[in-house]
Amino acid sequence: MKKIALITSGGDSPGMNACIRSIVKTCLFYNIIPFGIYDGFQGMIDKRGVELGYSDVDNIIYRGGTILGTARCEEFRTAEGRQKAINFLKEESVDGLVVIGGDGSFTGAYTLGKEMSIPIIGIPGTIDNDIFGTDHTIGFDTALNTVVDAIDKIRDTASSHHRAFFIEVMGRDAGFIALNAAIASGAESVLIPEELTNIDKLVEEIKTQNKGRRSSIIIVAEGDDGGGAKEILEKVKPFLPNYDLRFSVLGHIQRGGSPSALDRIIATRMGSYSVELLIEGKSNCMIGVYGETLSTCSIESGIKEHAVPEQSKIDILKKLRTQ
Ligand code: ATP
């Protein structure tokens, strides 16, 4: 292992920089050249990469986003696009590749792995936490804290004005952010893609919540089957004519910001481990973390199995609901 390439791909997430830093420093520790490729798979196709040194990763551990940039690359979905990427890796004499990204990036990595002999390690980097094979993805903890902070602020104004607020959070396919934010913020209701939304039931819940209370917070995952926060509000409105209903879409603030200590630690550990796995001759596996322990499973199982939130977290919200 003389040269390891790394990319950040898909949606950016806080902690990606901590992971880049850790990969670069671990490579240098083992006298391996770290080769950063810009803008994910797009940079592989466009042949844009640079050898990285200590000074490139100075003071980036606390910064959100990714210094390598990221992209969603349609061309990489084609065999021709991937061949260009493979040619670039060969031209640069790359011996191993680390892909930091979400399940889409892992699907790209898995497909690429079947078409070339260069070993690949996947590191789960997405705010959504929707990857099988790990308790935490890099960025989830920071995004969750950003969401809870925003909900607390909305709660202040909601209670002052006696309002019910529908707050939309990220989560196209999974309700990890919504569910965990609901527990942490004491939200009255939560709508997640894992459960069918029943508007009649929601209306009854809001009426019950309203008894003796000054506010209701209903968290809506963007991928909920009933629609986003605005759509849900429109659906319940005719049944709640005397209620002051508002919605708020938290949007991209959920992606940004300085990573939490937990995300920095997970990112640093996973980044260093990825280099060691490549040195050991491992390939086509992704890194996960369970409790305090790092683990690996095949990238294939990471993308083929579906990550779902803990049922006990769904159950606890039902028990704490106002009756
Ligand atoms: P996030 O969950 O944060 O959005 P992600 O990694 O899932 O991150 P995607 O946009 O789904 O983000 O995927 C990133 C990139 O991975 C895509 O733009 C594409 O280049 C590549 N990719 C995704 N699916 C495939 C596929 N089936 N074949 C080849 N490449 C793919």
Side-chain angles (χ1 to χ4, degrees), residues 258-270:
S258 183
S260 68
L262 180 63
D263 275 330
R264 296 181 200 193
I265 293 166
I266 290 173
T268 300
R269 293 182 70 200
M270 287 183 173

Side-chain angles (χ1 to χ4, degrees), residues 9-13 16 41-42 70-78 82 100-109 111-112 125-128 130-131 172-173 255:
S9 169
D12 64 311
S13 66
M16 282 181 162
F41 295 123
Q42 189 64 55
T70 182
R72 304 198 193 267
C73 173
E74 283 311 306
E75 197 180 350
F76 195 78
R77 294 175 188 271
T78 67
R82 289 193 297 277
I100 309 162
D103 58 348
S105 302
F106 280 9
T107 308
T111 313
L112 186 69
T126 166
I127 62 165
D128 296 329
D130 59 347
I131 296 189
R172 274 173 304 182
D173 307 311
R255 284 202 182 280

Side-chain angles (χ1 to χ4, degrees), residues 243-264:
Y243 284 66
D244 190 355
L245 306 175
R246 301 294 165 110
F247 77 94
S248 176
V249 179
L250 297 189
H252 284 81
I253 60 160
Q254 293 165 88
R255 284 202 182 280
S258 183
S260 68
L262 180 63
D263 275 330
R264 296 181 200 193

Side-chain angles (χ1 to χ4, degrees), residues 130-290:
D130 59 347
I131 296 189
F132 179 85
T134 187
D135 274 350
H136 285 277
T137 58
I138 296 169
F140 171 63
D141 184 62
T142 308
L144 180 58
N145 279 289
T146 301
V147 168
V148 171
D149 185 50
I151 294 170
D152 289 349
K153 287 176 174 145
I154 291 173
R155 174 77 81 178
D156 287 344
T157 175
S159 351
S160 301
H161 287 273
H162 210 127
R163 286 174 175 156
F165 255 93
F166 297 80
I167 303 175
E168 185 175 314
V169 302
M170 284 190 175
R172 274 173 304 182
D173 307 311
F176 287 94
I177 292 182
L179 185 61
N180 286 280
I183 296 174
S185 66
E188 277 66 33
S189 300
V190 60
L191 306 180
I192 53 175
E194 289 80 5
E195 292 204 311
L196 277 182
T197 293
N198 179 331
I199 294 295
D200 295 337
K201 207 167 131 232
L202 180 63
V203 168
E204 288 314 309
E205 267 179 41
I206 295 170
K207 284 182 183 169
T208 311
Q209 289 156 14
N210 197 51
K211 287 180 191 144
R213 313 200 56 181
R214 293 200 57 90
S215 64
S216 286
I217 298 289
I218 302 103
I219 301 180
V220 184
E222 63 177 330
D224 187 72
D225 63 286
K230 187 166 186 286
E231 287 79 29
I232 300 283
L233 184 152
E234 295 300 337
K235 285 178 185 173
V236 301
K237 207 170 165 182
F239 306 103
L240 300 167
N242 300 322
Y243 284 66
D244 190 355
L245 306 175
R246 301 294 165 110
F247 77 94
S248 176
V249 179
L250 297 189
H252 284 81
I253 60 160
Q254 293 165 88
R255 284 202 182 280
S258 183
S260 68
L262 180 63
D263 275 330
R264 296 181 200 193
I265 293 166
I266 290 173
T268 300
R269 293 182 70 200
M270 287 183 173
S272 192
Y273 192 36
S274 69
V275 175
E276 280 163 357
L277 286 172
L278 286 170
I279 293 170
E280 283 169 24
K282 298 279 177 4
S283 180
N284 295 323
C285 62
M286 63 158 273
I287 299 175
V289 62
Y290 289 101

